[in-house]
Amino acid sequence: METLTHRPTWKTLLAFAIIYFVWGSTYLAIRVGVAEVPPVLLAAMRFLVAGFVLYGWMLARGERSPSGRQWKSVFLLAVMFFVFGYGLVFWAEQRVPSGTTAVTVAIVPAFMAMSEIIFLRTQRLTVRLALALLIGIGGVVVLTSSSLNLGGAPIDKVDAVALVVASMSWSAASILTRKLPLPPSKVMSSGAQMLAGGILLALTAVALGELRDFHPRAVSRGTWLSLAYLILAGSIVAFTAYVWLIHHESPTKVGTYAYVNPVVAVPLGYFLGGEALGLRTILGTLLVLMSVVVITTMRRMEKRMASVAVEDTA
């Protein structure tokens, strides 16, 4: 990791602001886009263009293309990250408000913790972690339950399942990135994954017959602008900021975007998207964010305790 001594503070603050606010705002941009463009096709266009730009840029800089073995890993991760992860999010946002989607997807750290317990065995199930997981699941229940008299329409069960599956697929793929052979350059790896994901999403859109329902001339300028925003700001700029931060800050600190994004998405959906902001949304948001904050801070504390233990035995 590069040293921190010569890094301007404004660059760090700018990079954090980008992944906080840009990624938080992409949920509203997706909601605008899927109102006129079939969801899987919209996702395909986003990642085909962004992946092509990043992948081509890295080739132009002299980076080697992934090997045959690495391409297999890239396509496996592309299925999990983009087809099931983003594809289901785009599909669900046809009906689910953008703020509610961001809150539901914020449960990813909880699934990450469960994956580490079950598959990597790098995390142990403590009482505190179990309570955090239950609180997070409770937040999703609040957003989906029709039996709770909280006002506002709950998420349709099918859409809720789609968002939970998307979160689980994203979490499992994140765990697999630690084990699968991938290009050493993170930018090349991500560019290749986005390109592969865009190709797979395009094939899925064709298989679903979405091209028959798509008429480019009928798409408004606002929708095309939302797609451009998703490509440039959401994928290329924000991802570059994310990669830069990963090389300069701790992953735990960078991972705070998981609970800042909903704080950005919910107000944006309310003020700019005309989405309802009732007791159901507020309570569900608070429960999910409480779960994510506990899980994130707990990991930080465990790492500090481990480092102290090593120093004591040295």
Side-chain angles (χ1 to χ4, degrees), residues 110-223:
F111 288 125
M112 285 285 290
M114 292 172 64
S115 299
E116 289 189 33
I117 293 169
I118 297 171
F119 299 111
L120 294 183
R121 300 187 184 278
T122 55
Q123 181 81 269
R124 57 190 181 88
L125 184 61
T126 62
V127 174
R128 184 179 180 184
L129 177 57
L131 286 175
L133 294 174
L134 288 175
I135 291 171
I137 294 170
V140 176
V141 170
V142 166
L143 294 172
T144 60
S145 176
S146 57
S147 61
L148 296 174
N149 188 21
L150 296 171
I155 306 175
D156 180 79
K157 294 295 190 295
V158 176
D159 293 326
V161 169
L163 291 175
V164 170
V165 170
S167 302
M168 293 176 66
S169 181
W170 182 278
S171 303
S174 299
I175 295 298
L176 283 177
T177 56
R178 304 183 186 185
K179 294 181 171 292
L180 295 175
L182 293 167
S185 167
K186 294 185 183 299
V187 180
M188 169 58 80
S189 177
S190 296
Q193 288 177 50
M194 280 197 283
L195 182 61
I199 293 171
L200 293 173
L201 284 165
L203 293 174
T204 303
V206 172
L208 293 174
E210 288 192 347
L211 291 180
R212 294 195 300 268
D213 302 324
F214 178 58
H215 306 285
R217 292 185 179 181
V219 178
S220 66
R221 183 173 64 176
T223 296

Side-chain angles (χ1 to χ4, degrees), residues 225-249:
L225 288 175
S226 71
L227 176 59
Y229 181 78
L230 288 170
I231 293 170
L232 296 173
S235 294
I236 297 175
V237 175
F239 173 76
T240 303
Y242 177 76
V243 171
W244 187 86
L245 279 171
I246 281 293
H247 285 82
H248 292 83
E249 298 288 344

Side-chain angles (χ1 to χ4, degrees), residues 46-58 191-192 194-196:
R46 172 185 179 179
F47 294 112
L48 266 176
V49 176
F52 179 79
V53 169
L54 276 181
Y55 179 73
W57 176 52
M58 295 309 293
M194 280 197 283
L195 182 61

